[in-house]
Amino acid sequence: MPKVKTNSGAKKRFTLTGTGKIKRKHAFHSHILTKKTKKQKRNLVHTGLVHSANVGQVKELLCMK
């Protein structure tokens, strides 16, 4: 039986918290920033948690199941 490989893209995008939740970064903060307000850009800096509906998908990509 071959080893199960972790999805490389998911590996770079998600991290685990100490309590086992999955952290993510916000989209829309990499380019075309001139037309976005300071407030919008500032709020995109903070990390968020993966929604409960998507946790299973992300865990599958990270080979956590």
Side-chain angles (χ1 to χ4, degrees):
M1 188 89 182
K3 291 182 180 179
V4 180
K5 290 190 177 181
T6 302
N7 183 285
S8 297
K11 186 168 47 176
K12 297 166 192 169
R13 286 172 173 82
F14 301 106
T15 52
L16 276 176
T17 62
T19 56
K21 295 175 183 172
I22 303 171
K23 276 198 311 190
R24 64 171 179 84
K25 294 187 175 91
H26 284 280
F28 308 109
H29 193 61
S30 57
H31 59 97
I32 316 175
L33 297 172
T34 51
K35 62 176 79 168
K36 293 172 187 153
T37 62
K38 287 180 185 177
K39 182 180 179 180
Q40 189 178 1
K41 288 184 279 192
R42 185 173 62 244
N43 288 333
L44 289 171
V45 170
H46 308 295
T47 56
L49 294 175
V50 172
H51 194 271
S52 57
N54 300 322
V55 167
Q57 285 177 312
V58 175
K59 282 187 174 182
E60 205 171 297
L61 291 171
L62 296 172
C63 298
M64 293 173 59
K65 276 192 171 177

